[in-house]
Amino acid sequence: QVQLQESGPGLVKPSQTLSLTCTVSGGSITTSYYAWSWIRKPPGKGLEWMGVIAYDGRTHYSPSLKSRTSISRDTSKNQFFLQLSSVTPEDTAVYYCARQTPIAVYDYWGQGTQVTVSS
């Protein structure tokens, strides 16, 4: 059973960088051909895919967030990370990490972590 757990600060000030960690257990983030995504849900809005890091370390980002987003990983700890720079209150959301299967289905999700951007 694969489990994902998000962690990070729940409150970030405007213009700062939001940093989150997803810790994976029960499966390796280097297992071919899975990928590991960050997805968020702002209040009153739908899910928004932010970006993904594949089993081989390649990354791909949402065009609308690409200039502010960075996804990286630590394979020794089986973790992957999200950094979102220059945040504004519009970045307030529940942030999820999820595993994407080779057929582009999200089969495992973290429970989500609330991040509020406010001074």
Side-chain angles (χ1 to χ4, degrees), residues 37-112:
S37 286
W38 286 100
I39 298 162
R40 68 181 183 179
K41 187 179 188 307
K45 298 183 180 179
L47 293 171
E48 179 182 20
W49 178 80
M50 301 182 69
V52 63
I53 185 163
Y55 67 98
D56 59 359
R58 290 174 299 147
T59 54
H60 183 59
Y61 302 109
S62 167
S64 65
L65 296 171
K66 185 175 183 178
S67 65
R68 299 195 292 131
T69 307
S70 177
I71 298 175
S72 59
R73 66 181 186 173
D74 183 338
T75 57
S76 68
K77 296 182 178 179
N78 217 34
Q79 295 175 325
F80 63 105
F81 312 103
L82 171 71
Q83 288 193 312
L84 182 67
S85 63
S86 304
V87 297
T88 71
E90 286 66 43
D91 293 308
T92 294
V94 177
Y95 285 76
Y96 299 92
C97 54
R99 189 179 80 163
Q100 180 179 324
T101 71
I103 58 170
V105 171
Y106 296 107
D107 59 349
Y108 291 101
W109 293 69
Q111 85 285 357

Side-chain angles (χ1 to χ4, degrees), residues 26-46:
S28 172
I29 62 173
T30 61
T31 299
S32 306
Y33 297 90
Y34 289 87
W36 306 86
S37 286
W38 286 100
I39 298 162
R40 68 181 183 179
K41 187 179 188 307
K45 298 183 180 179

Side-chain angles (χ1 to χ4, degrees), residues 1-5 22-27 36 78 97 108-110:
Q1 179 81 359
V2 175
Q3 293 184 316
L4 297 90
Q5 176 72 56
C22 183
T23 300
V24 179
S25 59
W36 306 86
N78 217 34
C97 54
Y108 291 101
W109 293 69

